Amino acid sequence: MTITKNQEAGKLTISLEGRLDTTTAPQLEGELRTAVNGITELIFDLEKLDYVSSAGLRVLLAAQKVMNRQGSMKIRNVNSDIMEIFEITGFVDILSIE
Amino acid sequence: MDQNKTRKNRIVSLRFKIVVTIILTALILSVIAVTISYNVYSNTMDLHYKTLTSNLAKTAASQLDADALLRYYNEVKQIGEYDEEKYQSDEAYRKDYDAKANALKDDEYVRMLNVLFDIKDSNGITYLYVQKLEGNLCTYIMDADTSEEQCQLGTTHGVSGPTKETEHPEEGIPAFITNDTYGWLCTSMEPVRDSEGNPVALVGVDVSMNDIMEDRANYLRSILLIMGIAVVVLMFAILFFFVKALINPINMLSNAARSFIQDRNSEKKNDSAISKLNIRTGDEVETLCDSVKQMESDINTYIANLTAVTAEKERIGAELNVATQIQADMLPRIFPAFPEKKEVDLYATMDPAKEVGGDFYDYFLVDDDHLALVMADVSGKGVPAALFMVIAKTLIKNRAQLGESPAVILKNVNEQLCEGNEAELFVTVWLAIIEISTGKGIAANAGHEHPVLKRADGKYELVIYKHSPTVAIMNGINFREHTFELHPGDRLFVYTDGVPEATNAHNELFGTDRMLAALNRNPEASPKELLTTLKKDIDLFVGDAPQFDDITMLNFCYKCSPVVKELKVDAKRENLEEVLAFVDKELEIANCSMKTQMKIDVAVEEIFVNIANYAYAPETGSALIRIETQYDANRVEITFHDWGMPYDPLAKPDPDITLSAAERQIGGLGIFMVKKSMDDMKYSYVDGQNVLTIVKYLD
């Protein structure tokens, strides 16, 4: 999985590419732990993400909980396969998906 | 209400009819009786009076001297012409005439007049006189009258009435009755004859009939009065009699008959209104009453019989229903028939024509690798055929399970069915035993319909070959058998004659051509779908015509054996990629779409990571992943085995996905996602292994 970060002041955009699974989720989790400090607006661009397992969902949920305390979080460009997973798991109601 | 009204009308009507009948009858009889008796009475009286006057006239005539009378007549004619008007109006003329006439009356005249007076007085004669007829004139010679109206000798006037109408009035005029100014008179005139017998004068006798005529009127009045009274009395008597003897008993009968059903319903069967009737008229009404009583008891007996018969029929009907149910239960009806045999897919149906049928199908495993298929039709229908079917089915299955070949099975079954087959029933059987692993089979056809075979790339076609005789037709016969081979995708269709011989209202048969056409319309449909479509076709063809024969069908589909691959790895997260690669390779061979592949990958990841994280914690162990692909069914089954601690992931409750982000627990989502995205998921703990199976149908 490739993680691309783009920060403009308090706004951080993270683009994910490839698979967000058990193997790669800890990598994203590690990145976020340091990157979200002082961030008020976190944006995930999932345009090139083709796979999410529950491990990936866990990281997204944790990020949402953090951002609920310090600002807002948005998810962009979700493809239909991943949208289906969000729908099955009820994540569509938790995350702000654009 | 209406019934009561008409009933009342009817009773009035019967009484009215009786009254009218009596009055009319009495009236007609009275008129006839009165007319006859009145006529007889008056005729008798008339005759009596006529005879009387006639005799009196004869008596008087015999007392008179004819010569003297002729002399007086001649002498009075000498006086001159008698002028009636002048005599009445001219006193001088009358006195002169009287004096001249009286002068002619000598002793003899007076004597004869006295005789006439005697006769008149002693016989109650009203008028007694002697006349002489001359042409159209009659001249009085004597008149035994003392009143003013006495006719003087010589009084002359024209003849009239019967005198004028009689041909020879001088010979006497028969008695006649007149009613004129003198009242009712009976008149008779008899001639007075001289010594030579010539009539000289006529003696007239008038007898008054006024009294007798009054009597006659009285008689008429009396008889009418008596008749009237008699009619009224009789009418009431007859009416009373009819009411008592006819109308009342009929009303009693009618009321009793009306309450018949009411009495039955109110449990008064032995005390009904009809049985309490006591009509003792001793005539037809009593007979009618007895007949009604008899009818009531007959009806009661009949109803009792009918109730018993109906109950018996219901009992038989209920037992037939049970029999139908038992028969239906005897035929295997659980589909899929052999879920563990992936190579086998079959479906069968039977629609009996009557409550219980003679057709049957059967399928069962002879051993783990041999499947027996049976399609049979017992001759005849209904209960006898069904009983025979039960025996035949049981014998075939028992024999088949001994591992015998179809020909041997049928030979043995034939021997046993022939014993005591007094009803001469027989059964056509198609029996095949198929080796599931290879598709090789042996079949015997004992007089049954041609089976239908469809090769994987072909159409449904009849397989026509020489059949053996039917089973149970003759002792000791041998049956022919033949081998065949099925390849994956091949399908067999067997049926009973109810299919090709289904008949529509125009007596046309459904036939094998229509059957094959229906099968070939959608040859790749699942066996169940195929049979349902064919049955619909038959129903559409038959329409409203009754179903004559049982319709039984079986479709068998021999499928590819599934491809099974296994991978045993250490249950470590580092091995996830190896596991996914192994699964993805199989999915690619099965032409799985990327979307479905992602779902399956997620499921495999979740389950494998679960095993890696928890099954052996804190130790490590191995996991076996088995993937079974059924290409023709587009079905993938993946089984995960581990030898760790028993754990059923399906027993864990689903996470509440309606909670907010803050409330959501991290974790528990993986198995939930698998449950949602797979078509089936099963867990079992067998031989110290956790076995978790997921099933996904590929698009």
Side-chain angles (χ1 to χ4, degrees), chain B residues 191-330:
Chain B
V192 182
R193 297 174 192 278
D194 60 14
S195 51
E196 283 158 18
N198 295 320
V200 172
L202 285 173
V203 176
V205 173
D206 288 357
V207 176
S208 168
M209 286 185 75
N210 282 338
D211 291 350
I212 204 65
M213 282 304 165
E214 202 172 315
D215 278 358
R216 216 187 272 191
N218 284 339
Y219 173 80
L220 197 58
R221 271 195 292 278
S222 313
I223 201 161
L224 284 178
L225 187 68
I226 290 165
M227 280 289 185
I229 291 169
V231 164
V232 171
V233 169
L234 267 178
M235 192 180 74
F236 278 107
I238 291 172
L239 200 58
F240 176 74
F241 171 77
F242 268 108
V243 167
K244 197 168 148 45
L246 206 60
I247 297 176
N248 284 348
I250 286 175
N251 281 344
M252 282 159 72
L253 269 173
S254 155
N255 288 333
R258 196 171 291 119
S259 62
F260 172 64
I261 286 298
Q262 218 174 326
D263 289 350
R264 267 195 69 82
N265 291 344
S266 60
E267 301 293 326
K268 286 202 293 180
K269 284 177 197 170
N270 300 321
D271 194 25
S272 71
I274 293 179
S275 66
K276 282 192 286 185
L277 281 179
N278 187 22
I279 295 174
R280 288 282 164 262
T281 52
D283 54 17
E284 287 86 342
V285 176
E286 189 177 327
T287 313
L288 174 66
C289 175
D290 291 344
S291 302
V292 170
K293 280 183 188 173
Q294 179 66 42
M295 188 180 76
E296 184 199 37
S297 97
D298 288 351
I299 288 177
N300 283 339
T301 314
Y302 179 73
I303 290 176
N305 286 342
L306 196 65
T307 312
V309 168
T310 311
E312 180 67 10
K313 267 191 176 169
E314 277 171 6
R315 193 181 63 77
I316 292 171
E319 283 182 4
L320 269 181
N321 282 343
V322 174
T324 311
Q325 192 57 45
I326 289 174
Q327 196 193 27
D329 292 347
M330 284 184 124

Side-chain angles (χ1 to χ4, degrees), chain B residues 334-348 363 365 371 373 434 436 460 486 488-493 523-531 554-560 630 632-633 635 697:
Chain B
I334 295 167
F335 302 101
F338 308 106
E340 72 283 6
K341 298 283 173 201
K342 302 289 186 309
E343 302 90 336
V344 170
D345 189 10
L346 67 81
Y347 192 76
Y363 53 81
L365 288 173
L371 170 69
L373 298 177
I434 300 166
I436 298 171
Y460 281 98
L486 293 177
D490 288 357
R491 297 175 77 161
L492 260 174
F493 174 75
E524 300 301 338
S526 74
K528 182 177 181 177
E529 210 177 312
L530 194 79
L531 296 195
L554 184 148
N555 185 239
F556 170 76
C557 183
Y558 185 66
K559 297 177 164 185
C560 309
Q630 183 87 42
D632 53 355
R635 181 180 184 274
Y697 287 94

Side-chain angles (χ1 to χ4, degrees), chain B residues 169-190:
Chain B
E170 65 277 4
E171 291 289 346
I173 298 163
F176 60 91
I177 293 163
T178 54
N179 181 20
D180 54 20
T181 49
Y182 304 106
W184 283 99
L185 287 178
C186 183
T187 306
S188 183
M189 293 200 168
E190 285 298 327

